[in-house]
DNA sequence: TTGTGTTCCGGTAGCGTTACCGGTAACGCT
DNA sequence: AGCGTTACCGGTAACGCTACCGGAACACAA
């Protein structure tokens, strides 16, 4: 690129046309990869474009092309940060989604403000975004229905209770809980403490919160275990307290399953303060990203929560849907996968 | 808002004008908060806007208003993810920046693809962004100069070696290292292992890598310590290895300072495998975000790396700069602050 | 009366692009 | 020669909005 470093003033398609001795139409055709243009002309124009460092104005493009066929797309990830205590977990979703967008030549937008229906619709109506990724999905979430009615593209990370027609990617939380507890039972544990997400979240019908508890119910029945759990805010101090409570309620417990890796140090510290070493005197299994699982000492035996992959796939699904709106609705429900690390073992005195 | 739920077809300013019995100009004036419009008219039009759920097309706005005075701004955070091993650290920058944008009614964009000069300029030329936040700044970074020459607004998280005229926010890494080592010396440690960022990063003149080593040099001189360090990739296994090497080289060491909280479990595990408990037999001090410091067991005594705040402030600086381009150039160099937690103590046998 | 503001509002020319229509030249075929 | 057909290209009306100009209506003073 020849730096005509003073020419900072913005070029238009007309300038290029003039310099290349062709019409604007021709330049536009070339820009959009239309046929109907001689190879020699194309080359000449492309050279001018390259030499001048011209780059078409996206606003004008979007306006002229009816904002639907635009070349450069933008998708928005909606992550309401209202209920404060969010964690690294979410962050990895962002990274994954951003990576997919970069790869697919799409702008990636992140909005953290909670949104009402008007705001959400305005996002589309004003042409600010071509599609959204919804997070924090509730069982009875109103957003998918609204967006569908207006024919605005979206995908969910999570799913509603009735999700026949929506694109989504989600982890099978019911199964995850069953798998984790099943693993502990298999190791010989019979008295297992369970630390779940706050009851308030469940009351609000947040998908994972609801499904985690239903999975727990199923696990209890299947393995004929007595319930022993706490629903708490997933912070280190809260989990610490909850663990102490569980130990008081059932001093004989030999294992703990917590649904949140990043607050599991709370459990581990509580156990340590009660003179129980992990994993020798008490096993700990979590639901956690690999990153977090590695970070905790001892490294967590955990159901893998592949957040970055999920973010990547969600964005990819959305981008595909934008390109071929008629494409079939993809739905991905990830099955849980347990990674054995250091924090769990067979209970003392087991066969 | 009255849901005329079928009217999904996009409204224009002309529709509003017609419905409100005024001219397009008047609607535009109201939309942009210009004076020169009677209160009663304003109310009437606003009611129509509200009832119909109209929302102006940003593309058209940007196009018409010369893309400079646009109402809704968009800023882009450039974080090249090329050199793979990035960590939670960066993520918190994103969150902070996104939060600031949400608060300031600005679109927050995240791009993870590395960029050459052309791409960077096109971002502005095509009207896709109004300003950028640069990360991964090198001592001799070419980007600030380029953007300045073209008069495109930006701020850096980090700083170059010569940064007189650029907006930036950065942590004083030299001072951070001196502070950490000073603290350990104060506690009575004399033989201190140091784990720094990879030599390759320093060779590439990445700011923090360079400054961290210069800070280390200064600390050695000031406290008359013998050098004892490793420059390694900041992953748990690499840090583990590095720690073992340090222990081999200087079995008498009583403390380790590592510049990266998220890989510090590597050090802690290496010490444990050599039968040294933290902090009793060996102290560990790190440079880490609060979040990470809390996550590691034992909780890390660490120089605080306030990444989310830095991201927030960077975005805020940029937004301000967009609003008042003439405003003085802000430069923020954060001084290190040590937070004492559990991972460091006085060495055995100290006075 | 005329002049001088003020306050409010409408008309319209762009902004940079694309979509569409139509035109010209060259070529091939009957 | 005459008539399609194809390959290429130019002209221009949108797209939805803002900026600017100018005009109507009214008030008030000289």
């Amino acid at each position: 690129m020849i730096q005509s470093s003073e020419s900072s003033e913005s070029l238009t398609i007309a300038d290029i046309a003039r310099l290349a001795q062709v019409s604007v139409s021709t330049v536009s055709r070339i820009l959009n990869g239309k046929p109907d243009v001689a190879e020699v002309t194309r080359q000449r124009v492309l050279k001018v474009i390259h030499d001048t460092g011209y780059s078409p104005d996206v606003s004008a493009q979007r306006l002229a092309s009816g904002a639907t066929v635009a070349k450069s797309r933008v998708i928005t990830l909606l992550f309401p940060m209202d209920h404060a205590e969010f964690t690294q977990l979410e962050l990895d979703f962002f990274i994954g989604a951003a990576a997919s967008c970069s790869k697919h030549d799409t702008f990636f937008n992140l909005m953290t403000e909670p949104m009402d229906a008007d705001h959400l619709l305005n996002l589309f109506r004003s042409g600010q975004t071509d599609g959204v990724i919804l997070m924090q999905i509730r069982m009875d979430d109103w957003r998918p229905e609204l967006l569908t009615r207006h024919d605005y593209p979206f995908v969910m990370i999570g799913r509603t209770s009735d999700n026949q027609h929506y694109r989504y990617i989600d982890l099978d939380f019911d199964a995850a809980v069953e798998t984790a507890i099943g693993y502990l039972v298999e190791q010989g544990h019979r008295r297992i403490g369970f630390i779940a997400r706050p009851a308030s979240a469940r009351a609000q019908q947040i998908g994972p919160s609801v499904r985690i508890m239903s999975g727990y119910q199923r696990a209890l029945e299947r393995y004929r275990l007595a319930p022993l759990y706490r629903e708490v805010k997933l912070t280190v101090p809260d989990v610490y307290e909850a663990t102490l409570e569980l130990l008081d309620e059932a001093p004989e417990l030999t294992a703990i399953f917590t649904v949140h890796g990043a607050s599991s140090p709370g459990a581990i510290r509580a156990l340590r303060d009660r003179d129980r070493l992990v994993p020798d005197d008490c096993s700990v299994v979590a639901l956690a990203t690999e990153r977090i699982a590695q970070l905790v000492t001892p490294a967590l035996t955990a159901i893998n929560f592949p957040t970055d992959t999920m973010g990547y796939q969600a964005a990819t699904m959305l981008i595909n849907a934008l390109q071929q709106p008629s494409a079939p609705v993809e739905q991905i429900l990830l099955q849980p996968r347990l990674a054995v690390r250091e924090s769990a073992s067979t209970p003392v005195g087991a066969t």
Side-chain angles (χ1 to χ4, degrees), chain A:
Chain A
M1 161 183 170
I2 298 167
Q3 262 298 37
S4 36
S5 60
E6 24 60 36
S7 81
S8 71
E9 275 340 293
S10 52
L11 294 162
T12 75
I13 199 173
D15 297 321
I16 303 302
R18 193 164 27 75
L19 290 173
Q21 317 254 48
V22 293
S23 72
V24 252
S25 322
T26 303
V27 179
S28 175
R29 267 190 288 266
I30 293 173
L31 249 24
N32 297 320
K34 299 283 174 65
D36 266 35
V37 43
E39 190 52 31
V40 49
T41 316
R42 177 188 306 277
Q43 290 309 330
R44 180 155 41 95
V45 174
L46 283 178
K47 178 159 182 0
V48 173
I49 291 178
H50 183 261
D51 288 352
T52 52
Y54 163 77
S55 175
D57 183 306
V58 278
S59 295
Q61 285 185 311
R62 293 177 73 92
L63 184 57
S65 58
T68 80
V69 209
K71 307 301 302 300
S72 99
R73 300 198 157 69
V74 22
I75 71 177
T76 305
L77 176 59
L78 261 33
F79 181 76
M81 291 219 297
D82 49 351
H83 52 87
E85 86 288 349
F86 77 110
T87 62
Q88 268 106 336
L89 219 113
E90 285 77 19
L91 304 193
D92 282 334
F93 286 117
F94 305 161
I95 294 305
S100 171
C101 288
S102 289
K103 187 149 297 179
H104 294 95
D105 220 20
T106 299
F107 256 52
F108 173 73
N109 232 290
L110 179 57
M111 307 205 40
T112 57
E113 207 79 338
M115 280 208 171
D116 58 24
D118 266 348
H119 276 78
L120 187 52
L121 291 176
N122 279 352
L123 224 49
F124 287 94
R125 286 199 284 239
S126 62
Q128 284 173 104
T129 198
D130 298 304
V132 296
I133 300 178
L134 260 29
M135 290 185 63
Q136 302 284 119
I137 307 289
R138 302 183 180 199
M139 301 296 279
D140 56 349
D141 209 293
W142 51 272
R143 295 170 297 176
E145 197 273 327
L146 178 71
L147 291 173
T148 303
R149 201 171 63 219
H150 287 260
D151 207 29
Y152 292 139
F154 70 99
V155 312
M156 302 184 285
I157 296 183
R159 64 197 201 279
T160 59
S161 50
D162 164 30
N163 44 49
Q164 335 260 26
H165 353 282
Y166 308 135
R167 289 171 223 272
Y168 73 81
I169 179 166
D170 199 7
L171 179 63
D172 191 337
F173 286 98
D174 299 74
V177 175
E178 265 194 89
T179 304
I181 292 190
Y183 171 77
L184 285 170
V185 168
E186 212 171 84
Q187 297 293 304
H189 298 274
R190 292 297 306 167
R191 200 64 174 134
I192 302 167
F194 178 49
I195 295 175
R197 301 164 59 128
S200 61
R202 188 156 61 91
Q204 284 177 62
Q205 295 282 98
I206 304 279
S209 300
V210 174
R211 295 202 175 85
I212 279 170
M213 283 312 281
S214 74
Y216 181 56
Q217 284 303 335
R218 290 224 309 260
L220 290 186
E221 288 163 24
R222 175 160 170 194
Y223 300 110
R224 300 172 202 286
L225 300 174
L228 176 61
Y229 69 96
R230 286 293 183 281
E231 291 179 285
V232 291
K233 263 176 55 185
L234 297 174
T235 67
V236 171
D238 286 282
V239 170
Y240 179 90
E241 284 304 323
T243 307
L244 291 185
E245 286 179 33
L246 288 175
L247 285 168
D248 288 339
E249 181 178 339
E252 75 279 16
L253 71 77
T254 60
I256 284 181
F257 173 49
T258 173
V259 296
H260 185 236
S263 57
S264 60
I268 294 172
R269 281 173 211 166
L271 289 166
R272 181 195 60 193
D273 289 357
R274 289 288 173 86
D275 295 319
R276 307 221 189 177
L277 269 173
V278 176
D280 305 326
D281 308 318
C282 185
S283 292
V284 172
V285 168
L287 173 60
T289 63
E290 276 206 49
R291 211 200 284 278
I292 304 255
Q294 300 283 6
L295 204 55
V296 174
T297 307
L300 290 172
T301 289
I303 302 282
N304 187 32
F305 199 163
T307 45
D308 48 355
T309 313
M310 289 173 73
Y312 188 92
Q313 289 189 272
T316 307
M317 276 171 66
L318 181 53
I319 292 169
N320 286 339
L322 289 176
Q323 280 165 350
Q324 326 187 348
S326 57
V329 169
E330 263 183 291
Q331 299 189 326
I332 305 180
L333 187 59
L334 297 172
Q335 289 312 304
R337 211 173 46 72
L338 185 91
V340 175
R341 299 197 183 83
E342 309 170 355
S343 65
S345 65
T346 49
V348 210
T351 49

